[in-house]
Amino acid sequence: MFRTNLKRIAKSGFFGFFRNGFVSLSSVLVMIITLSVIGSVVFFGAILNVSLEEIRNKVDVNVYFVTTALEEDVLVIKDSLEVLPEVADVTYVSREEELASFRVRHENDQFTLQALDELGENPLGAKLNIKAKEPQQYEGISTFLQGENILSKNGTVIVDNVNYLKNKDAIDKLSQIIASAGRFGFIFTLILVVMSTLITFNTIRLVIFISREEISVMRLVGASALYIRGPFVVSGIMYGIVAGLVTLIIFYPFTLWLGKLTEDFFIGLNLFDYYISNFAQVFLLVVGSGIVIGAVSSYLAVKRYLKI
Amino acid sequence: MLYTKYQTVMIYFDKVSKIYPDNSVALDKITFSIEPQEFVSIVGHSGAGKTTLLKMLLAEDKPTEGKVFIESTDIHSLRAKDINNFRRSIGVVFQDFRLLSNKTVFENIAFAMEVAGRSEEEIQADVPYVLNLVDLSNKVWNFPHELSGGEKQRVAIARAIVNQPDIIIADEPTGNLDPVNTYEIVQILKKINDLGTMVILTTHNKGVIDSLARRVLTMENGRIIRDSKEGTYVI
């Protein structure tokens, strides 16, 4: 009997979806908006993550060494930095490389190049570029570099300058912005998702409000609560599936159009490529959310008309 | 407490009162009984308490005082599941038909059978049979909005009788119908009663009551003021 009832409920919900064409259409349209918001959250999150990652990568601490520092001493410091847990990467730039890049940077500045030539020797020291795993960790690295352990083998100070102290304010500010952007993004998305879910819930409530007379008739011919509710929940699930599929189809040209734009603007992230490569997850999230919202909304909305 | 389906049932209202929160008295200590297989008409002005009385009988609303018995079962002490079983033993016909608008004629009647747990084979056999009884065999796949008022009411009657109920409650079933359809509906109700089902009819139609010449309960201000065996319409 259970199987027969399940079959009857599914059939009734299925036919109900098509026979209430206009009502179903309006529910599906509203749900498309909700699911688009939920799907956009994924894209927004990806853009945010890639951008933040890129900004983080751009932050580093430079340690300038005195010109007399020996390469082997600098490399010892490089090795000791690399074992620190907060350090992601350390790059060594030799005096010669530093001079070459200085010349490239100032190739249009004849006066500077002339002054450099007149010096007769390389005035630039070697340099270490240090990247931390988290922006907050630069302070610790900087403290390490100021410590007494940064000495050459023969005990002289070889670090000329650590530019973290000069950039400290900018780095602190950036750390804060990154943290706030993440927080704000999360709250903003949460509000959007809640709002659009409520709108869908109310639309489905209205759809079921239209059927309240029929629900009371079903009750009076002796239908159980489950038997009345079932078809509405099935219709709700169908709103979710149809709206989810339409949303995924809409995302295709939308991300294709935005792909080039985001690639240029957001440091290499092509939204279309991201959509295609993460399609399974986006599909599960969008269609799954649709099914859950449709089913739960219908289930709750019928409840108040069952009290006969 | 379980509700058991009886072949012949008797209804007993024991000092039933219904007072709404605004202190209006819809039923005032009503006591009466209906014998098995009886055809009873309930008449009275609008607001006399007819619809409230039927709501008590369908366990749609609870009385403020008193009890309603079907045989020895107090229907207001039934659990939700048993109320469903109880309602399946009653066929109801409303003035406004109350058909399920997105289901065909066949599906409307099949729905009542489905909720009663009947098999597909029974549904395929019984639905055409009752549609034939109410002379609607040619409208099986129509939707309610494609039917006339009289046809809709005949579908409602077919739905009410398809589970072979103990009782048929017809709440002003001819209120929205022309004289020809009214006559036909009354004839169908009489036929159902002749086959052994109790029929409870509420109506404002004097012609219907007079032509039936069956028991009439007259209500006024929530009370039964007259109970005549072969009554006529007197208010």
Side-chain angles (χ1 to χ4, degrees), chain A residues 35-306:
Chain A
L35 296 180
S36 301
V37 170
I38 292 174
S40 305
V41 167
V42 177
F43 298 130
F44 174 69
I47 290 171
L48 194 72
N49 280 341
V50 170
S51 308
L52 293 186
E53 197 55 41
E54 204 59 34
I55 291 168
R56 278 177 184 164
N57 288 339
K58 289 222 181 317
V59 177
D60 59 5
V61 167
N62 302 319
V63 185
Y64 296 99
F65 292 88
V66 292
T67 50
T68 52
L70 296 172
E71 182 166 315
E72 58 187 273
D73 287 339
V74 176
L75 290 175
V76 168
I77 293 170
K78 178 175 182 276
D79 291 343
S80 63
L81 279 168
E82 276 172 340
V83 297
L84 292 178
E86 53 268 61
V87 171
D89 183 41
V90 185
T91 321
Y92 171 65
V93 183
S94 69
R95 292 184 65 200
E96 292 69 32
E97 286 166 343
E98 190 66 359
L99 182 65
S101 72
F102 183 87
R103 282 188 183 281
V104 172
R105 268 206 312 278
H106 296 90
E107 62 185 345
N108 298 325
D109 187 355
Q110 284 307 315
F111 289 115
T112 307
L113 291 178
Q114 211 172 348
L116 192 65
D117 290 339
E118 278 171 17
L119 273 176
E121 63 174 48
N122 182 358
L124 300 169
K127 178 174 93 169
L128 285 179
N129 291 332
I130 307 162
K131 280 190 195 304
K133 285 177 184 153
E134 294 296 329
Q136 298 87 336
Q137 292 167 335
Y138 284 108
E139 183 139 26
I141 296 169
S142 166
T143 313
F144 174 82
L145 290 166
Q146 317 267 312
E148 290 185 1
N149 46 349
I150 309 297
L151 296 171
S152 70
K153 263 192 292 188
N154 55 19
T156 55
V157 174
I158 54 169
V159 173
D160 180 30
N161 179 19
V162 180
N163 79 342
Y164 172 73
L165 291 177
K166 280 191 277 174
N167 296 344
K168 188 173 183 299
D169 285 348
I171 291 173
D172 282 351
K173 194 123 194 143
L174 197 61
S175 302
Q176 272 177 7
I177 290 170
I178 290 170
S180 308
R183 256 201 315 274
F184 173 76
F186 178 73
I187 294 168
F188 180 69
T189 358
L190 200 71
I191 291 171
L192 270 183
V193 169
V194 168
M195 269 169 52
S196 49
T197 307
L198 280 178
I199 292 168
T200 306
F201 176 62
N202 274 320
T203 310
I204 291 181
R205 264 181 59 179
L206 274 177
V207 168
I208 289 170
F209 175 77
I210 296 167
S211 308
R212 68 195 184 286
E213 281 287 321
E214 302 206 345
I215 293 173
S216 72
V217 176
M218 291 174 183
R219 213 67 178 120
L220 290 177
V221 298
S224 66
L226 179 76
Y227 204 83
I228 295 171
R229 221 174 218 168
F232 286 104
V233 173
V234 171
S235 292
I237 290 172
M238 288 190 66
Y239 298 152
I241 293 172
V242 173
L245 294 177
V246 173
T247 308
L248 291 173
I249 293 169
I250 292 172
F251 276 162
Y252 190 89
F254 183 69
T255 51
L256 190 65
W257 174 64
L258 272 180
K260 186 82 187 77
L261 196 72
T262 54
E263 193 166 16
D264 295 343
F265 200 73
F266 294 104
I267 321 146
L269 175 82
N270 186 316
L271 213 52
F272 180 69
D273 293 344
Y274 179 84
Y275 177 47
I276 298 300
S277 59
N278 292 283
F279 185 76
Q281 287 100 311
V282 179
F283 178 90
L284 277 180
L285 179 80
V286 170
V287 178
S289 304
I291 290 173
V292 170
I293 293 171
V296 172
S297 306
S298 304
Y299 184 87
L300 294 177
V302 179
K303 197 177 172 188
R304 65 179 300 183
Y305 303 113
L306 289 176

Side-chain angles (χ1 to χ4, degrees), chain B residues 148-180:
Chain B
S148 71
E151 287 170 335
K152 283 180 192 166
Q153 199 56 293
R154 279 186 277 158
V155 176
I157 290 175
R159 179 179 66 186
I161 62 173
V162 75
N163 284 328
Q164 295 150 346
D166 299 319
I167 308 163
I168 292 278
I169 294 176
D171 187 11
E172 299 186 24
T174 58
N176 286 342
L177 303 180
D178 61 44
V180 175

Side-chain angles (χ1 to χ4, degrees), chain A residues 1 4-5 7-8 11-12 15-17 19-20 213-225 227-228 307-308, chain B residues 58-60 84 87-88 90 92 94 96 98-104 107 111-112 114-115 117-120 123 143 159:
Chain A
M1 197 64 224
T4 312
N5 275 346
K7 207 176 102 188
R8 285 171 177 169
K11 192 175 146 192
S12 176
F15 281 120
F17 176 83
R19 287 178 183 169
N20 291 320
E213 281 287 321
E214 302 206 345
I215 293 173
S216 72
V217 176
M218 291 174 183
R219 213 67 178 120
L220 290 177
V221 298
S224 66
Y227 204 83
I228 295 171
K307 292 176 191 158
I308 296 174
Chain B
L58 279 166
E60 211 180 321
N84 291 339
R87 283 174 179 164
R88 286 169 203 157
I90 297 182
V92 193
F94 301 96
D96 53 357
R98 300 207 198 168
L99 300 175
L100 304 172
S101 61
N102 65 351
K103 290 187 189 293
T104 62
E107 288 166 347
F111 182 80
E114 285 174 5
V115 300
R118 308 278 290 274
S119 71
E120 283 304 313
I123 291 172
F143 285 92
R159 179 179 66 186

